[in-house]
Amino acid sequence: MRLTFTADGFTCPIVPAEGAPRTMAALLAALPMPLQLHTPKIAGSHIYWHAPFVEDVEGGVDVLSARPGAFIYWPVRQFLEITFAPLQAETASVTVLGHIDAPVEGVVALGERLRAEAGRRRLTGTLAASGDAPAAAAPTPAVPTALHVARLALWAECPADVAALTGSRAIMHPVGPVMLAESEARVLHETLWWIRSRLDAGDEAGLRTATAIALDKSAVRLRDFCHMTTTADTLFAAAAALDAPGQQLGPLVDEAILIAGRIAAWLDLLIPWNDINEGFREALSEAPAMGAAS
């Protein structure tokens, strides 16, 4: 069995690795997978897209040691990635799922286009299985049906209130609300992963309270500061589900992770990161050093 990655006119096979059966099963259950590619902001030399599943690391490998061409799952970022050169300035344990069976130069060229065009156009693709790929269905999580349906809709299409953010031309718009919303959703996503890592610690009441506060706080910020009413309602619904009779905390945290991660992903796709970075560098080069005497 092989995987085939296709994006923006580039296609390459991926040879799966052994040692991560749980993550590979979750991946196969999500195939064929539509992809929206994202450009990295810190680690550098990789392309990535968000995984529609939540799994812990298997056979953990330091992300900086992943060789070019590695296909990896990065749990706390919830990314599926293909690396094309040594990464920079990151510390994390990741799951290696395979390696591309093609010259890495094709991924390099795709990564360069992605970095230059992020926020200007959306680079899409697919990940599919070929050969003797076992058929599997993604399990239905033990959460309220309405919340699960809302999560599936969120993954299928960019919410209208997210897409509308770039249309405002009020003072410091659209960059203010877009950047604030993306940061808010990303921090919520990371906070939920931290909560998940403590589910076996025994303080379920405290973790339920922390989950509710994190969801409600982010929902209020997205609703009141960024006018993302529908998206905020999904977060409010996740918080409310904590009080549903018999609702287990673990499945609900996983569902909330998938919701928050997808919100952050849609927002990330709106941002022309390279253009902003180049403009920031230019402004810094033209401005006097902060704190210098006038």
Side-chain angles (χ1 to χ4, degrees):
M1 187 269 292
R2 286 195 173 197
L3 305 173
T4 301
F5 169 83
T6 302
D8 202 46
F10 171 74
T11 298
C12 73
I14 298 174
V15 180
E18 298 181 355
R22 189 182 64 247
T23 307
M24 186 58 70
L27 176 68
L28 292 176
L31 299 182
M33 184 185 300
L35 316 177
Q36 296 87 35
L37 300 186
H38 298 255
T39 190
K41 269 65 74 178
I42 296 174
S45 303
H46 57 116
I47 58 176
Y48 71 88
W49 59 96
H50 285 71
F53 55 82
V54 174
E55 288 292 343
D56 292 318
V57 68
E58 287 185 276
V61 172
D62 187 277
V63 69
L64 294 181
S65 67
R67 62 192 180 99
F71 174 47
I72 65 176
Y73 171 61
W74 191 329
V76 296
R77 296 282 189 268
Q78 206 186 336
F79 295 161
L80 290 164
E81 303 186 357
I82 299 175
T83 66
F84 56 81
L87 303 188
Q88 62 184 27
E90 271 283 4
T91 301
S93 183
V94 301
T95 300
V96 176
L97 293 175
H99 198 276
I100 65 169
D101 187 15
V104 75
E105 287 76 14
V107 185
V108 172
L110 178 60
E112 290 175 347
R113 290 198 304 277
L114 178 60
R115 183 177 63 252
E117 299 181 38
R120 293 177 175 267
R121 74 178 180 100
R122 190 175 298 169
L123 275 68
T124 61
T126 58
L127 183 70
S130 58
D132 188 18
T140 301
V143 299
T145 299
L147 184 64
H148 180 56
V149 169
R151 189 256 287 180
L152 293 179
L154 180 65
W155 273 81
E157 187 175 0
C158 181
D161 57 357
V162 172
L165 286 176
T166 57
S168 176
R169 293 299 180 267
I171 298 171
M172 293 301 289
H173 286 208
V175 70
V178 171
M179 298 293 278
L180 185 146
E182 191 273 339
S183 177
E184 188 69 45
R186 179 166 42 82
V187 170
L188 171 62
H189 185 248
E190 293 176 355
T191 300
L192 291 169
W193 268 101
W194 280 40
I195 291 170
R196 187 179 190 273
S197 72
R198 289 159 172 77
L199 288 177
D200 294 331
D203 183 18
E204 178 164 333
L207 292 174
R208 281 182 180 269
T209 299
T211 304
I213 290 172
L215 288 165
D216 282 338
K217 179 260 186 184
S218 293
V220 168
R221 294 281 284 182
L222 294 182
R223 181 193 64 192
D224 294 355
F225 282 79
C226 304
H227 307 292
M228 293 168 53
T229 304
T230 303
T231 298
D233 284 345
T234 304
L235 297 180
F236 282 129
L242 288 161
D243 295 327
Q247 176 61 60
Q248 294 182 334
L249 181 59
L252 186 57
V253 170
D254 282 359
E255 194 77 356
I257 285 172
L258 290 168
I259 290 168
R262 191 56 162 166
I263 293 170
W266 286 124
L267 289 160
D268 180 85
L269 291 171
L270 300 178
I271 301 171
W273 290 102
N274 190 64
D275 295 342
I276 291 172
N277 194 53
E278 292 299 318
F280 193 14
R281 289 179 175 181
E282 182 178 353
L284 290 173
S285 70
E286 295 175 355
M290 296 295 290
S294 57

